[in-house]
Amino acid sequence: MDRVSPEEHVAPTPVPGRRQFLKRGVAFGAGLAVAGAAPGRAQSPPAPDDPSKVLGGPVRPYGERSRFERAERIRRGKTDEIAVGNRTPLDETLGIITPSSLHFEVHRGGVPDIDPRKHRLLIHGMVDRPVILTVEEIRRLPSTSRILFLECQGNSLTEWAAPTLKTVQMTHGLTSCSEWTGVRLALLLREAGVQKGAAWILAEGADANGNERSLPMAKAMDDVLVAYGQNGEAVRPENGYPLRLIVPGWTGNISVKWLRRLTVVDRPYLTRMDNVGQPVLMPDGKARQLNFVMESKSVITSPAGGAQLRGPGFCEIRGLAWSGRGLIRRVDVSTDGGRTWRSANLQAPVLPLAHTRFRLDWRWDGREAVLQSRCADETGYVQSTLAELIKVRGVNSHYFNNAIQSWKVAADGSVHNVHV
């Protein structure tokens, strides 16, 4: 991708201490005085209900969230279309781990219902010892767990030419972050005995999609997982049960779901999904092939499109940043459409190839404001503006859109998706 590095001055933001927070708490409390209280005398609010007086419900064999929680994925696409996806409500998630039930998903042709006792993984091609493994055999091998983000290369594709969608879930909801558990692909390949001259792997899923992807051997031997676990339990069916590839930092569709076959080969096969299935078009009409790395990207998730501020005053700006090249080192936030920037606070943990949450204290004065975030990763790459991307790639590139997102806060407190 195109690597642009703006160098505007960024004002540091001090981390608020306990004294500052308590002072701010006093200001909050001042607005909660009870009507009718004697002058100069604060009245205590009523005590909350005693939960011990509420009778409990049945104990369920599989836990469910509270009936009062409403966060859910929004579907885009119809079942008879080529691609159907559910998007993560980034504005309603907490921390950096996406609940498995809210993880984004994209599929073509439906979600297969696979019995793990019958499922097999075949590794063959340019290997000394072709092997067929059961799921149980793979689970018996030495395991590893990593917190990693996945992002569809179509995330934000609607936003190239105009601000099309209203909310952060719709513009940026095709990314999620989970703890993935499985076996390193390098272990399986070493056991199979990769032959001299083998440079690529063709990965194939068990669904009706035909989502075969070519994976370079160097990446396969580095950090790729054959995963069977997600956030402490089995991978969900729509996310690849019982086995899927996890290719850290690379486009989501190369992390092939419902994994059934790995063919070791000497060259990329330029399959439909390697090539014309999701073309990255350039201004001259040519398309890039074998696009992999997801460049640094960030988005403000609160306040974001569709939100409504209730009035001037304190507001914590929150968001997420990630990079397919490693750690997020810095996130800057602008409240004036990119004219000036302040350095946001990165919330621990900050992990490579994972979502990183950022925060910035802001006091809205009731006037129009345009909120933006831009991130920088450990390679020094700084997230680009949309104008900078379009200058190089035109307006038909669609995929791999990592441009800075703008949210306009109107004078009435409503928040809208805009281009500036």
Side-chain angles (χ1 to χ4, degrees):
M1 295 296 100
D2 316 288
R3 303 172 69 78
V4 185
S5 299
E7 297 180 352
E8 294 93 336
H9 173 71
V10 178
T13 298
V15 178
R18 182 173 181 272
R19 185 178 299 275
Q20 288 178 285
F21 181 78
L22 290 175
K23 286 182 178 179
R24 198 162 62 219
V26 171
F28 290 159
L32 300 176
V34 179
R41 182 179 178 184
Q43 182 173 324
S44 299
D49 293 338
D50 186 347
S52 66
K53 307 302 184 194
V54 181
L55 293 177
V59 178
R60 299 182 178 92
Y62 189 81
E64 298 178 8
R65 66 179 178 178
S66 167
R67 62 188 177 91
F68 300 104
E69 296 298 319
R70 294 285 187 263
E72 62 181 10
R73 298 180 297 191
I74 291 178
R75 168 167 290 188
R76 184 163 178 81
K78 300 178 181 178
T79 54
D80 59 347
E81 292 181 348
I82 294 176
V84 178
N86 282 327
R87 298 172 182 241
T88 297
L90 297 177
D91 54 327
E92 297 188 75
T93 60
L94 307 173
I96 64 171
I97 298 294
T98 307
S100 298
S101 56
L102 295 179
H103 196 285
F104 88 91
E105 55 136 336
V106 177
H107 60 81
R108 300 166 179 80
V111 177
D113 183 25
I114 298 176
D115 183 344
R117 296 169 297 182
K118 299 178 181 179
H119 190 72
R120 301 292 184 268
L121 173 62
L122 168 64
I123 303 175
H124 69 146
M126 297 178 67
V127 297
D128 296 328
R129 298 173 293 278
V131 62
I132 298 177
L133 297 169
T134 67
V135 175
E136 180 182 1
E137 287 170 335
I138 292 173
R139 282 175 170 258
R140 291 173 59 186
L141 296 172
S143 65
T144 185
S145 294
R146 292 191 64 188
I147 296 175
L148 300 163
F149 82 87
L150 286 182
E151 182 180 15
C152 175
Q153 66 191 51
N155 202 21
S156 310
L157 70 83
T158 59
E159 306 306 303
W160 273 99
T164 305
L165 302 177
K166 295 181 179 181
T167 69
V168 67
Q169 181 173 7
M170 295 304 293
T171 60
H172 288 72
L174 292 179
T175 183
S176 304
C177 186
S178 290
E179 181 187 49
W180 300 99
T181 299
V183 176
R184 293 191 60 172
L185 178 55
L187 173 64
L188 301 180
L189 293 174
R190 283 196 294 267
E191 290 300 313
V194 175
Q195 294 176 355
K196 184 178 180 180
W200 290 77
I201 291 173
L202 185 64
E204 177 188 335
D207 58 318
N209 177 10
N211 184 34
E212 294 85 5
R213 287 302 312 263
S214 299
L215 176 67
M217 183 65 70
K219 180 69 170 177
M221 298 297 287
D222 180 21
D223 58 0
V224 177
L225 295 180
V226 174
Y228 47 78
Q230 179 183 9
N231 296 333
E233 63 177 0
V235 173
R236 296 290 176 100
E238 62 268 29
N239 276 299
Y241 181 87
L243 296 174
R244 74 169 298 168
L245 281 185
I246 296 294
V247 184
W250 287 19
T251 174
N253 69 16
I254 203 169
S255 291
V256 174
K257 297 187 284 188
W258 311 294
L259 185 67
R260 68 179 293 269
R261 178 159 60 175
L262 297 168
T263 307
V264 179
V265 294
D266 61 351
R267 64 189 184 280
Y269 268 43
L270 298 181
T271 66
R272 176 174 64 91
M273 296 308 294
D274 284 337
N275 192 356
V276 298
Q278 292 184 323
V280 181
L281 297 175
M282 301 300 288
D284 61 1
K286 295 181 179 179
R288 292 182 173 183
Q289 295 179 332
L290 298 170
N291 302 280
F292 296 132
V293 177
M294 304 305 293
E295 298 283 10
S296 298
K297 190 171 181 177
S298 69
V299 64
I300 292 171
T301 59
S302 178
Q308 178 70 48
L309 299 183
R310 296 185 178 180
F314 174 80
C315 175
E316 183 177 64
I317 296 174
R318 302 168 186 164
L320 293 167
W322 58 95
S323 172
R325 297 187 184 275
L327 282 165
I328 291 294
R329 291 298 192 193
R330 190 182 81 244
V331 178
D332 306 324
V333 172
S334 175
T335 58
D336 56 13
R339 289 191 294 273
T340 62
W341 297 88
R342 295 170 61 196
S343 180
N345 300 311
L346 303 186
Q347 179 176 307
V350 178
L351 304 173
L353 306 173
H355 282 176
T356 297
R357 190 164 288 278
F358 63 86
R359 301 176 289 108
L360 181 73
D361 290 352
W362 178 50
R363 187 168 294 276
W364 182 46
D365 60 10
R367 294 181 293 179
E368 285 189 357
V370 176
L371 309 182
Q372 297 179 335
S373 66
R374 70 179 185 196
C375 62
D377 64 23
E378 61 183 325
T379 70
Y381 173 75
V382 179
Q383 185 179 1
S384 305
T385 66
L386 181 59
E388 289 167 336
L389 288 182
I390 289 176
K391 185 177 181 180
V392 176
R393 294 166 56 188
V395 295
N396 297 316
S397 196
H398 296 308
Y399 298 101
F400 294 92
N401 180 5
N402 69 316
I404 291 172
Q405 172 68 40
S406 300
W407 304 118
K408 180 180 179 180
V409 181
D412 64 0
S414 58
V415 187
H416 308 274
N417 182 6
V418 296
H419 283 182
V420 297

